[in-house]
Structure formats: structure tokens, C-alpha cells
Amino acid sequence: MGCGRVLLCIIFPPLAVLDKGCGSIVLVTLLTLCGWVPGAIAAIVMCNDNKNGGV
């Protein structure tokens, strides 16, 4: 995950997860509406998800 993606997760979380699918966008948008911090944390976690299972 690059620095630009991290900044996007912090500044506007729903925009950072556009490539993750509709469910992720809706979830992060709802969390962001409930509070900025939960939305930002969810976006960072979703963007940092390792698909290959390695460290």
C-alpha cells in the first residue's frame, strides 16, 4: 500500500476503497457517516488486506 493510498484512506475513506467492491464501499461509507475515525480505520484495514497470505 502506497503513501497516496494511505493519505486517501485518512482524508476520504470511501474513495480509497473504490476498487474493493460495492460492499466495501457501502460499509466504509456507513462507518464514515457514523464517525470519521471508524471509516478511516476500516479503509486502512481493507486496503492493507494481503491476498497472498504472506507477511
Side-chain angles (χ1 to χ4, degrees):
M1 183 164 62
C3 292
R5 180 63 67 101
V6 172
L7 287 174
L8 199 57
C9 287
I10 294 170
I11 295 171
F12 192 66
L15 189 61
V17 294
L18 279 179
D19 61 340
K20 302 295 181 186
C22 183
S24 298
I25 297 169
V26 171
L27 178 66
V28 171
T29 302
L30 289 175
L31 287 171
T32 302
L33 289 175
C34 290
W36 171 77
V37 173
I41 291 172
I44 290 172
V45 168
M46 286 183 189
C47 289
N48 200 22
D49 187 24
N50 267 345
K51 295 296 180 189
N52 58 6
V55 176

